[in-house]
Amino acid sequence: MSYLKDKQHTDIAQLGHPVLKTPAQVVTEIQSDECQDLISKMMITVEQAGGVGIAAPQIFNSKRIFIMCSKPNARYPDAPLMEPTAIINPEIIEASIDKEKGWEGCLSVPSIRGLVPRHKQIKVKYYDQTGQEHHAVFTDFIARVFQHELDHLDGLTFVDRVESVQDLVSESYWYAHFAPKG
């Protein structure tokens, strides 16, 4: 029981919870205390969980917000380093025809990895924590993270994106056979 009492970050919704299957609502007041507090909670949660991204539905709040915070780690030793960034009301404006399969995991789907096809390059629009509109082009790993987190806002997880159940493996098997040797 002390595990639950001592835990300092917000619980993360696990696969099967209805919040992960529900499309999230557009954020209308980015500057509100409620929105800013949610972003702070998400930043703390993703940092403590060691993730490279987290979406608001994963902490039981069905809003169109996610955090991208790519950094090298045991699962992604070649991940580029980026400042944790709040992505609000994101949209993919354009996506490359080229897709690439890559291994993904998820804080809401512990112990499972999946080989997921994603667009190699995407052109996106989103708002930041201050309400500033951004247009950007993301490629490779960052494009993968963006698409993974955007799926959460649309009620999907990476498990919905694998082409076959043959593309799912346990995390321990993935570490033994597929993990990058960093």
Side-chain angles (χ1 to χ4, degrees):
M1 285 299 179
S2 66
Y3 165 73
L4 291 176
K5 193 163 45 168
D6 294 341
K7 196 157 50 156
Q8 295 180 11
H9 64 80
T10 305
D11 287 333
I12 295 171
Q14 298 298 294
L15 185 65
H17 193 285
V19 73
L20 296 176
K21 299 175 185 177
T22 305
Q25 299 170 347
V26 170
V27 176
T28 54
E29 296 181 33
I30 293 172
Q31 296 298 323
S32 72
D33 288 346
E34 179 187 351
C35 183
Q36 295 297 312
D37 289 348
L38 174 58
I39 291 167
S40 294
K41 280 184 197 165
M42 292 170 66
M43 293 275 192
I44 291 166
T45 303
V46 73
E47 175 64 29
Q48 291 181 346
V52 295
I54 195 166
Q58 290 180 273
I59 63 164
F60 306 95
N61 196 314
S62 195
K63 298 285 187 206
R64 294 191 74 78
I65 303 173
F66 63 77
I67 306 298
M68 287 199 325
C69 51
S70 175
K71 60 190 167 294
N73 61 44
R75 291 183 312 265
Y76 310 109
D78 298 325
L81 184 62
M82 72 179 289
E83 280 296 310
T85 305
I87 307 288
I88 304 165
N89 297 331
E91 297 175 47
I92 294 178
I93 306 300
E94 197 176 299
S96 65
I97 294 169
D98 292 345
K99 287 187 174 183
E100 183 174 75
K101 280 187 170 185
W103 288 105
E104 294 183 20
C106 182
L107 299 174
S108 292
V109 189
S111 304
I112 296 176
R113 309 282 296 175
L115 198 53
V116 183
R118 299 280 186 193
H119 298 283
K120 287 183 62 142
Q121 180 174 301
I122 53 175
K123 186 177 185 179
V124 302
K125 176 180 125 179
Y126 65 92
Y127 296 86
D128 68 17
Q129 192 167 354
T130 68
Q132 182 79 33
E133 183 176 315
H134 293 267
H135 293 261
V137 174
F138 295 129
T139 59
D140 303 319
F141 186 75
I142 301 298
R144 178 170 297 280
V145 172
F146 190 100
Q147 291 169 84
H148 176 110
E149 299 307 333
L150 182 60
D151 275 353
H152 280 300
L153 305 186
D154 294 333
L156 301 170
T157 65
F158 78 86
V159 177
D160 298 304
R161 293 284 186 193
V162 294
E163 293 175 337
S164 160
V165 293
Q166 301 298 315
D167 289 338
L168 296 171
V169 299
S170 71
E171 185 128 18
S172 59
Y173 187 86
W174 178 82
Y175 271 113
H177 298 277
F178 299 109
K181 308 299 181 226

